[in-house]
């Protein structure tokens, strides 16, 4: 099994990249949100609210997100395809329309069993993603 | 315009209904989550994580959620149909696949323009919903 990656999530965020906090309601259309390509099998879009981040993640079949953990609570809602999460050595397949709730600091590995799209909710927002301190995703 | 409803959200939650907090990751299948019928046009399911709640809300065409506000940050991701949000007198139509981020304490009214399904994220979880202190939805 891969090594637990904790480094990225524990880095101190740059102040300039902090979410703006309070503000007006905002309407978001995914086609106008930046799409980042992290590696040939993994792409990501993200929206940051006040204390919550919503990310739309596109994983090609076979994509593996190595075992990692973060202080951010995570809820993964799979929109298309199927993802296999490995947590404490146990596999759970989450198919389209299903949800996995992952408390803070629980190490998890993810493998895309098919081309998949997931909506991930994080609390608080992933500052390591905002600050691009997420080398573990870029291999 | 309808009166701003603040009463429900400000009620003190019953201790017995607090979310359980930390715990293992959990796999959720919506078909096995309780479906509450709040009124003939509105149904709701909810999942509570550590500090975040995910709700799946089914609104029939014409359903109106009266103007209300809450201290909980809200992100609404419309899965099917279209919802018109009215905020500070301005209408915003959020169609399937689009997102509205609503900071804490921003009054909003919602009308379903078609039969719709939305996934709403709340931080912190809506204790007024967990405690059923949400009369404004049950009219």
């Amino acid at each position: 099994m891969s090594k637990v990656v904790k480094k990225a999530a524990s880095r101190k965020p740059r102040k300039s990249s902090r979410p703006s906090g309070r503000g007006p309601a905002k309407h978001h259309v995914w086609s106008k949100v930046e799409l980042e390509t992290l590696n040939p099998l993994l792409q990501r879009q993200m929206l940051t609210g006040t204390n919550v981040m919503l990310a739309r993640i596109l994983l090609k079949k076979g994509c593996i997100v190595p075992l990692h953990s973060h202080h951010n609570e995570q809820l993964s809602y799979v929109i298309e395809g199927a993802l296999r999460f490995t947590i404490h050595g146990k596999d759970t397949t989450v198919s389209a329309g299903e949800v996995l709730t992952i408390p803070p600091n629980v190490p998890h590995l993810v493998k895309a069993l098919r081309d998949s799209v997931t909506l991930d909710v994080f609390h608080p927002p992933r500052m390591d993603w905002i600050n691009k301190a997420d080398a573990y995703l870029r291999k």
Side-chain angles (χ1 to χ4, degrees), chain A:
Chain A
M1 193 171 280
S2 311
K3 197 178 160 192
V4 176
V5 179
K6 276 204 164 183
K7 197 176 172 189
S10 64
R11 280 191 196 171
K12 200 171 177 181
R14 291 193 295 268
K15 281 187 181 175
S16 60
S17 298
R18 281 186 183 283
S20 58
R22 319 280 159 175
K26 285 187 190 165
H27 181 201
H28 307 270
V29 179
W30 288 114
S31 61
K32 295 184 180 170
V33 176
E34 181 192 3
L35 177 68
E36 289 179 85
T37 297
L38 299 165
N39 69 52
L41 300 180
L42 185 61
Q43 294 180 299
R44 172 178 77 193
Q45 296 174 291
M46 50 188 169
L47 304 175
T48 304
T50 305
N51 293 299
V52 173
M53 171 182 277
L54 183 66
R56 181 172 175 269
I57 301 171
L58 293 80
L59 308 95
K60 291 284 181 194
K61 181 178 175 177
C63 177
I64 291 178
V65 179
L67 193 67
H68 66 288
S69 72
H70 38 73
H71 69 283
N72 320 73
E73 176 181 2
Q74 177 174 339
L75 275 69
S76 290
Y77 171 74
V78 177
I79 301 178
E80 296 175 25
L83 299 178
R84 189 180 68 204
F85 288 78
T86 305
I87 296 177
H88 299 317
K90 186 187 161 202
D91 290 341
T92 301
T93 297
V94 183
S95 299
E98 300 177 354
V99 178
L100 192 71
T101 52
I102 306 176
N105 303 307
V106 172
H108 49 287
L109 175 152
V110 187
K111 181 173 182 179
L113 303 182
R114 297 199 289 277
D115 288 357
S116 301
V117 181
T118 178
L119 276 184
D120 284 4
V121 176
F122 295 103
H123 165 76
R126 294 287 300 267
M127 294 309 301
D128 56 323
W129 287 13
I130 292 173
N131 291 332
K132 318 289 187 198
D134 47 9
Y136 74 104
L137 291 173
R138 296 174 188 270
K139 287 172 188 166

